[in-house]
Amino acid sequence: MKNHVKRLREELGLTQKELGERVGVSRQAINAIETGKFDPSIWLAHDLACLFGVSIEALFLFKEEDRK
Amino acid sequence: MKRILRHPVTNMICISLFTSFYALVFLATSRSTWFVNLLESHYANQEAAAFWNGWHSFLAGGNHAYIAYLMIALTILVVILLMLRRHPYDEYHTSLLMQCLAVAAVLTLIAIAFFYLVILGDSSGFVEKITLFIVINWTTVVLSDLVFVLLCRWK
C-alpha cells in the first residue's frame, strides 16, 4: 500500500531507525512500510499517524486495486 | 498465534524439539543392527536402484549420524543467533516468520506427495525412502528458520 511515511519522516528529520524506535518497531519494519512491501496493523498505522499529526487516511493511500 | 510467535524463545524451543527428536532417532539407529536389518537389499525398480543402493549403503554404514550432527550444528547456530536477539519480534518480523513457516509447510506437503508417488511406484526400500524424506524435510525446516533469523537481525 502506497503511503506518505517516507516523506513525512524526512520532513521531521528522522531516520528509519529513529522512527521505528518511536513507534516500537524495527528499522526493517519502517523500510518495508515505506516501500509498500508490508501493510502495518491498525494500531501501528494509528501510532504513525499520531506521530505525524495526520489521519490514517492522509498517511496511507487506500485504493480499491490494493485491497487484498 | 502471532503473540506466541513474537517471542524468539518460541522459535528456539520449537526448532530445538524438532531437531532433538530426529537427531536422537538418527543417532540411535546409526549404531543399530536392528535398523540395518530393516533396510531393503533388493529394489524392484532397476532404473533407480543405483541411487537407492548408494543411499542404502550410506545408511547401513551408520553414516546418517553425520547428518544428525550437521542438523544439530545448524540448530545450535539458529539458537545462538536467537539468543543474541535482545528484543521480541515486531509485527513485521512475525509476518516474515509466518511466511517462512508457510514455505516450509508447502515444501513438506510437496515432499509428502512426491515420496508417496515414489513408494507407490516401488514399495521396496520403504525405510530408506522415509529416511530420505525426513532428511529433506528436516533440512528445509531448519534452513527456512535460519534464513528467517538472518533476515531479522535487529541490533
Side-chain angles (χ1 to χ4, degrees):
Chain A
M1 180 184 288
K2 291 183 181 175
N3 55 75
H4 296 297
V5 173
K6 183 176 181 181
R7 178 178 62 81
L8 292 170
R9 174 179 62 77
E10 289 174 345
E11 283 180 6
L12 285 181
L14 296 173
T15 62
Q16 288 182 338
K17 184 179 177 184
E18 288 168 344
L19 177 58
E21 287 171 355
R22 291 197 183 190
V23 294
V25 296
S26 62
R27 182 202 63 77
Q28 292 162 319
I30 298 298
N31 182 61
I33 292 170
E34 289 181 357
T35 55
K37 292 177 184 174
F38 174 68
D39 294 337
S41 66
I42 190 69
W43 280 109
L44 179 55
H46 169 264
D47 291 343
L48 285 167
C50 285
L51 182 78
F52 293 130
V54 300
S55 65
I56 292 179
E57 291 82 2
L59 185 56
F60 294 93
L61 304 175
F62 290 88
K63 292 185 179 177
E64 200 57 41
E65 51 265 29
D66 291 337
R67 185 187 289 270
K68 292 177 183 175
Chain B
M1 181 160 176
K2 285 186 179 180
R3 278 192 190 171
I4 297 171
L5 292 177
R6 279 197 74 220
H7 302 284
V9 169
T10 305
N11 199 347
M12 276 177 9
I13 292 172
C14 290
I15 199 72
S16 299
L17 286 175
F18 183 68
T19 294
S20 298
F21 174 75
Y22 285 129
L24 277 172
V25 171
F26 273 41
L27 290 174
T29 55
S30 67
R31 298 173 187 142
S32 167
T33 52
W34 160 80
F35 178 75
V36 176
N37 292 336
L38 287 175
L39 299 175
E40 179 70 49
S41 58
H42 173 75
Y43 298 93
N45 185 341
Q46 292 304 309
E47 289 174 350
F51 171 78
W52 292 115
N53 280 328
W55 182 239
H56 168 92
S57 299
F58 182 83
L59 294 177
N63 295 309
H64 52 297
Y66 297 111
I67 296 177
Y69 295 141
L70 179 61
M71 289 295 118
I72 290 170
L74 277 176
T75 301
I76 289 174
L77 174 62
V78 170
V79 169
I80 289 173
L81 289 173
L82 287 169
M83 286 172 70
L84 290 176
R85 185 176 182 80
R86 289 166 291 177
H87 308 280
Y89 296 135
D90 62 17
E91 57 185 70
Y92 172 65
H93 296 137
T94 306
S95 169
L96 271 185
L97 179 56
M98 291 179 72
Q99 288 176 34
C100 285
L101 291 176
V103 167
V106 168
L107 290 175
T108 298
L109 289 174
I110 292 172
I112 289 172
F114 175 74
F115 277 95
Y116 184 53
L117 286 175
V118 167
I119 289 170
L120 285 177
D122 180 6
S123 59
S124 56
F126 183 78
V127 174
E128 288 91 326
K129 289 166 184 170
I130 285 293
T131 305
L132 182 60
F133 164 76
I134 288 171
V135 170
I136 292 173
N137 177 240
W138 193 6
T139 304
T140 54
V141 170
V142 175
L143 285 181
S144 296
D145 207 28
L146 181 61
V147 166
F148 165 73
V149 168
L150 291 174
L151 282 175
C152 292
R153 273 179 29 218
W154 179 20
K155 295 178 182 174

